[in-house]
Amino acid sequence: MNENNKLLISVKGLDWNYGEDRVLENVTLDLYSNGFYGIIGPNGSGKTTLLKNISRSLITKKGKVFLSERDITEFSNKELAKKISYVPQNTNLEFEFSVTDIVLMGRSPYLKRFQCESTYDMGIAKYAMQVTDIWHLRHKNIGMVSGGERQRVIIARALAQQADVMLLDEPVSQLDIHHQIEILEILKKLTEDNRLTVVMSIHDLNMAAQYCERLILMDKGRIFKEGGPHEVIVEENIRRVYGLNAFIMKNPLTDKPHLIPLRKTW
C-alpha cells in the first residue's frame, strides 16, 4: 500500500462460533482504501464468516470491527450500506423482478421512504449493468437468466450502491473463464481508479495471485499469512495449509506466482 491509502477497516481480535464450533479465532486485520484483497484458504477455513462479520451480517460477541475508526455496530443500516456493499455466495432470488429492478435496489440507501429512483439513479444502474455486461438483459425476469448471469446482476447491484468497500464471497465461482476475467478486470480497474476497496474470497489461487494486491491466507479460523502474492503463494504455505505439494513458478507474462498442483501430502 502506498502512503496515500487510508485505513478503512480494522478487525481486532475477532472470534466467532457456530454453537460449539469455533470458526474464527483472534482474527486481526487492517484493510486500506483502494486495495484489492483476496481471502484464500481451504473450505471451512472461515473466509465467508470473516466477510459476514465485516459486513455486519454477523455480529460477534468477542472482538471488534471498525470502519473509518468507528465501531461498525454504531452505524445505521442506511449509513453502513453507503459504505459497504456485499455480494453473497448464494445469489438465488425467489421474486419476480426484472434485472433492472434488481440493480436499482443498490440505490435504496440513497432514497427516502416511498421515493422513486431519479434519472441520476437510473444512470448509475445503467453504468453498472454496462460494465458487468448485462445491459442486454435489463428487461429480463431475474428468474429467466442463468446462474452466471445472475451473479453478474448481483455484482451490478453492488456497484450501483457506490459504497467505499465491496465485499464479495466467491464472486466468480459460477462464471465461465471469459466472464471470470471480465469481472476481475472490472474490479481491478475500480480499485485503480481510486474509487473502491475490494475484498473477495476466492478459491482459484492463480487468479488470486494475478489480480489481488494483497492476499489473506486463512487456516482453521486464523490468518496463517498475509502479504503480497509472492509472500503468500509459496510452496511451504501451500503444503501446510492445503496439504498439497505444488510447484510454484513465476508467470513469464505477469511476473506473478503461478501454482501447479502435484499431489496431496495428507
Side-chain angles (χ1 to χ4, degrees):
M1 296 295 164
N2 65 51
E3 60 185 13
N4 296 320
N5 295 122
K6 297 179 180 179
L7 179 62
L8 272 186
I9 293 174
S10 285
V11 180
K12 303 292 187 184
L14 183 67
D15 284 2
W16 182 264
N17 286 31
Y18 284 111
E20 298 298 319
D21 296 328
R22 176 66 59 87
V23 182
L24 297 177
E25 184 175 357
N26 194 30
V27 173
T28 295
L29 177 68
D30 288 335
L31 303 171
Y32 290 82
S33 61
N34 312 126
F36 197 157
Y37 295 87
I39 305 177
I40 58 176
N43 290 335
S45 58
K47 302 184 297 296
T48 295
T49 303
L50 176 57
L51 287 174
K52 286 183 175 180
N53 272 273
I54 294 173
S55 70
R56 209 177 67 183
S57 300
L58 299 174
I59 301 176
T60 184
K61 294 180 180 178
K62 186 175 181 183
K64 294 284 187 180
V65 178
F66 296 93
L67 175 60
S68 300
E69 301 183 348
R70 183 179 167 191
D71 191 323
I72 202 168
T73 61
E74 297 175 358
F75 287 81
S76 70
N77 289 337
K78 274 202 169 187
E79 279 183 301
L80 191 61
K82 293 177 182 178
K83 299 291 185 180
I84 297 176
S85 60
Y86 179 56
V87 177
Q89 189 176 146
N90 183 356
T91 59
N92 290 331
L93 299 168
E94 302 298 332
F95 30 75
E96 300 292 321
F97 287 130
S98 71
V99 165
T100 297
D101 290 333
I102 299 295
V103 177
L104 280 171
M105 289 176 184
R107 301 304 301 158
S108 61
Y110 301 91
L111 303 177
K112 295 178 181 178
R113 193 176 184 184
F114 304 123
Q115 182 181 1
C116 294
E117 296 86 358
S118 66
T119 303
Y120 176 75
D121 296 313
M122 293 296 297
I124 291 172
K126 179 179 179 179
Y127 167 77
M129 285 186 277
Q130 287 175 329
V131 298
T132 52
D133 192 24
I134 59 166
W135 178 241
H136 63 290
L137 302 174
R138 61 191 180 277
H139 299 308
K140 270 201 168 186
N141 186 295
I142 191 63
M144 301 300 292
V145 303
S146 71
E149 289 168 338
R150 186 167 58 248
Q151 187 81 345
R152 284 183 282 143
V153 171
I154 302 304
I155 292 172
R157 181 179 68 182
L159 284 175
Q161 208 168 314
Q162 291 191 308
D164 299 321
V165 181
M166 185 185 292
L167 308 176
L168 306 101
D169 193 2
E170 297 187 33
V172 296
S173 61
Q174 298 183 48
L175 304 182
D176 58 56
I177 187 66
H178 172 85
H179 285 110
Q180 284 184 32
I181 292 173
E182 184 176 60
I183 289 297
L184 292 171
E185 290 282 358
I186 289 165
L187 295 174
K188 185 71 172 176
K189 186 175 188 303
L190 289 169
T191 64
E192 291 173 346
D193 288 345
N194 296 329
R195 294 180 51 196
L196 190 64
T197 294
V198 170
V199 187
M200 69 174 181
S201 65
I202 183 169
H203 274 299
D204 190 320
L205 300 183
N206 290 325
M207 286 287 194
Q210 181 174 336
Y211 286 97
C212 297
E213 185 179 4
R214 302 284 291 180
L215 294 177
I216 301 150
L217 175 58
M218 298 193 67
D219 183 36
K220 299 180 178 70
R222 288 174 164 265
I223 295 178
F224 182 88
K225 179 69 176 179
E226 180 193 357
H230 287 288
E231 300 172 274
V232 177
I233 307 294
V234 299
E235 291 174 6
E236 177 61 18
N237 291 345
I238 301 304
R239 183 163 47 249
R240 291 180 62 184
V241 173
Y242 288 90
L244 183 71
N245 284 325
F247 174 70
I248 297 174
M249 59 180 285
K250 185 181 289 187
N251 186 315
L253 298 178
T254 65
D255 202 35
K256 299 294 180 67
H258 183 85
L259 181 148
I260 301 173
L262 300 175
R263 63 184 181 276
K264 297 189 298 181
T265 61
W266 39 264

